[in-house]
Amino acid sequence: MFKLIVFIIFSAWAVISSLGVVLFSNPVYVILWLLSALISIAGIFFVAGAELVGALQLIIYAVAIAVFYIFVLTAVPWEKALKKDSHYRVEGVIAFPFIILLYIEMFIVFTLGVMASPKKQLKLFIERIGNAEVVGSILFSKYFIAFEIVSLVLLMGMIGAVLIGRKESQTYDGDTS
Amino acid sequence: MMEIAINLLIILIKILVILAIALGIGAYLTLVERKVAAHIQRRPGPMVVGWHGLLQPIADGVKLITKEDLFPRYGNRFLYNLALIMALVPAVLVFAVVPFGPTIEIGGREIKPILTDVNVGILLVFGLGSLAVYAIALAGWASNSKYALIGSMRKAGIIISYEVAITFAVMGPLMLAGTLSTFEIVQAQIDQKLWYFWVQPVAFVVYMFSLLAETGRIPFDIQEAEAELVTGFTVEYGGIKFGLFPLVEWYVEVLTLSAIAVVLFFGGWSPINIPFLGFVDPLFFLGPFAPFVWFVLKVALLLLFVLWLHWTLPRYRIDQITAIAWKVMLPLALLNLVITAVIAPLIWR
Amino acid sequence: MVKRVFQRPLNIIERILFIDFIKGLTVTLKQAFRRTITTHYPYEKLTPPKRFRGFLGHKVIDGREPQPAFNEWVERMKIEVRPGSSRCVVCLLCKRACPVPQLFEIEPEKLPNGKRVIGVFNMNLMLCTFCGLCVDACPVDCLFNSDIHETASYSRKDAILDLKALEEIGRDWQRRREKEEDKIWSDDEQRQRLWYENDVSIR
Ligand code: SF4
Ligand code: SF4
């Protein structure tokens, strides 16, 4: 009962802030709404008992990723922030069918997942050995290959970023001629 | 029904105590800092208001509150005020997962002196702690001033760099304890008869560097370098709003991060430790209060150490700061992590 | 030639153990437990050195005037000597030496016997830079800088010293510090001497 009320509060908050992300034109407000949406989703995770996922949501999305928008945010001059002509209207219309497709796919995956574990085995499992351990053991047993591939992709991304961000000393040297 | 009411009452009392600690002690830390700074420079510090300046924080507060509330003309008033709230709330919220002592019994009821013992406490600390970067960035942007903007950008850069290092640094102790809950980390240290400081000195050094960087203490206070940026992102704030930013950044955050450091590296409320042998408790005569006294004592010592560093060292440049973070601290933390991951299971599993 | 001083780079052990941090920390720790060296300003004040350039004043005639300059100037300017009042001979040299001459307002007063005394001598210290040029210019050692340095006041009017105030400052100075040796702070004992309250009330 109590849980339900908190869940409704958080999800309403999430929906409202997502609407805010879409409807506001000032980029700074958009980033703030995004932050608010991410935090409310973390709240939903906490209500559902997935504390690890909630905390990771807070750390990775609300801080580590959204913080990079901060640099955008601090570089936005006031006059630009008030303009409204920077919206990708046509692109938005084109993207709409794909979004619907994505939602349908998510729905299918979700229902499949629910059907796969009908007897709440997972829940018992979590209650027995706690949150972080469950995630760890699942990651390193059932989804091991996927996990390793993802980490390899991330490593490649990191090396690529370092390579791109490397200072090309030659370019500046030959500049004087 | 009665049960729920009593539980709610206990939670309410805990919240009040934590708020009082966070803000009251935070305010009085200004006096401590001024005294420490003064004595290091061979001055007596505030001496006039009250005995040895004991009422000085109250006088400061009254002065700040009664000051005129100025606002930059082309700023954004909503964000300007929102930044203040976003700075204050996460900093105080972090106290929710700081354990102050062992479980105590009052009237046949077991009470943990911690607001919420979530089993991902440490992750929450760093999640909430780094939310402060939004407050700073907003403050810099909303006040529409060059100094504030430059200060907030520097601060954002520092926090991003050191957030990574601090997260990897705390992984060492977490791995030794095998849990993410702050309460159980301390319990694990007591059970293993080992402060993790003895086996994780590298992690501790990285943690201290990140603590100084995240709270904007010297040698990492480049975001408010007075000589070049006036006071960084707080330039356009006035009155009590100006007072709250340093209060949060310099005192409440240092307090929380020191408390977390004590939990992670110095065994929380446990007495002095001899590695692998046991604990020596010179304060045994305090009976059930001894753990709390130990905790407060350790946090206070760590805090004084931070102040001592602040008033000794010069300031690094911004590029040096980020270079230290990425080129020294992060590899060190990773190395420590790998070594711990190899050795820890050999000893305790 | 510029002498370049290169700092020895830290070696690896010093880097790992933070030796330079520890050195600095020991210094500050030692200083932190030593006696404080400040004075509690509004309650304790240090005596300024004798050559301190504070509020200006007029020394009064008490038999210690520089001779024979004083007698010569008295004769030349036809001044009536009144012991106990200002030494000023109304030569206006101070006004000529001053970078801000309009801050002086000097007028002699003609006596029935044909002689003169100083009548009006107002100094607007709002404009004064306390450079002391007027003091050097004064031929009879009349104008001087006293050690009164708390010059804040509630209205601009209070910053204008008239002849009475100037003489008052001068009498007070001659009583307290005239005989003192004329040297700047040279030893700790002299530096730490506290300043007792001067008993002039200018306002
Ligand atoms: S001290 Fe300098 S500025 Fe002041 S009255 Fe004398 S000459 Fe003029
Ligand atoms: S120089 Fe000396 S004597 Fe001449 S008018 Fe000025 S104060 Fe008087």
Side-chain angles (χ1 to χ4, degrees), chain C residues 56 94 97-100 103-104 123 127-135:
Chain C
L56 291 123
C94 50
C98 181
V100 202
L103 72 83
F104 284 99
M123 293 180 74
L127 303 178
C128 179
T129 61
F130 297 99
C131 61
L133 291 177
C134 53
V135 176

Side-chain angles (χ1 to χ4, degrees), chain B residues 99-323:
Chain B
F100 293 93
T103 316
I104 45 173
E105 266 196 36
I106 298 175
R109 180 179 290 278
E110 292 218 327
I111 296 176
K112 275 185 183 175
I114 174 174
L115 188 56
T116 54
D117 184 18
V118 281
N119 56 23
V120 288
I122 288 294
L123 286 184
L124 264 192
V125 170
F126 298 112
L128 289 173
S130 39
L131 278 181
V133 66
Y134 290 101
I136 287 156
L138 278 184
W141 191 79
S143 50
N144 192 31
S145 147
K146 291 184 196 67
Y147 295 127
L149 194 60
I150 295 173
S152 62
M153 279 187 102
R154 284 180 178 180
K155 177 79 181 182
I158 293 175
I159 287 198
I160 290 174
S161 314
Y162 276 91
E163 194 61 36
V164 182
I166 200 173
T167 314
F168 281 110
V170 300
M171 283 304 156
L174 290 186
M175 219 180 270
L176 291 182
T179 171
L180 282 173
S181 138
T182 46
F183 199 85
E184 279 160 30
I185 288 171
V186 178
Q187 208 58 54
Q189 295 187 43
I190 293 175
D191 293 343
Q192 294 170 0
K193 297 197 177 63
L194 181 69
W195 285 1
Y196 291 152
F197 173 70
W198 303 127
V199 285
Q200 298 278 331
V202 178
F204 181 68
V205 168
V206 177
Y207 186 94
M208 281 312 282
F209 265 72
S210 316
L211 187 156
L212 294 174
E214 293 213 355
T215 54
R217 283 272 176 185
I218 281 179
F220 302 112
D221 73 331
I222 193 72
Q223 83 273 13
E224 51 199 72
E226 291 90 348
E228 33 188 298
L229 287 185
V230 200
T231 54
F233 56 91
T234 52
V235 185
E236 302 292 347
Y237 283 79
I240 188 68
K241 291 179 182 168
F242 169 70
L244 276 180
F245 263 115
L247 178 74
V248 168
E249 218 204 348
W250 278 21
Y251 303 108
V252 177
E253 273 189 28
V254 175
L255 204 62
T256 47
L257 285 178
S258 312
I260 295 297
V262 166
V263 165
L264 283 174
F265 294 100
F266 294 105
W269 58 82
S270 63
I272 298 171
N273 168 249
I274 303 164
F276 299 109
L277 290 179
F279 293 96
V280 183
D281 192 355
L283 290 181
F284 60 91
F285 52 86
L286 288 176
F289 291 109
F292 296 93
V293 175
W294 274 115
F295 186 75
V296 171
L297 204 66
K298 285 179 199 167
V299 174
L301 282 180
L302 207 56
L303 233 152
L304 284 179
F305 179 67
V306 170
L307 295 187
W308 181 19
L309 275 177
H310 184 130
W311 293 99
T312 302
L313 299 177
R315 175 184 297 140
Y316 286 139
R317 281 198 322 263
I318 179 75
D319 60 327
Q320 290 170 333
I321 294 175
T322 39

Side-chain angles (χ1 to χ4, degrees), chain C residues 58 88-94 121 138-140 143:
Chain C
H58 271 197
C88 182
V89 293
V90 210
C91 63
L92 303 194
L93 285 182
C94 50
F121 199 108
C138 186
V140 295
L143 206 59

Side-chain angles (χ1 to χ4, degrees), chain A residues 66-81:
Chain A
V67 111
F68 285 100
Y69 295 119
I70 287 297
F71 283 111
V72 183
L73 182 154
T74 45
V76 177
W78 246 123
E79 312 82 56
K80 285 256 177 69

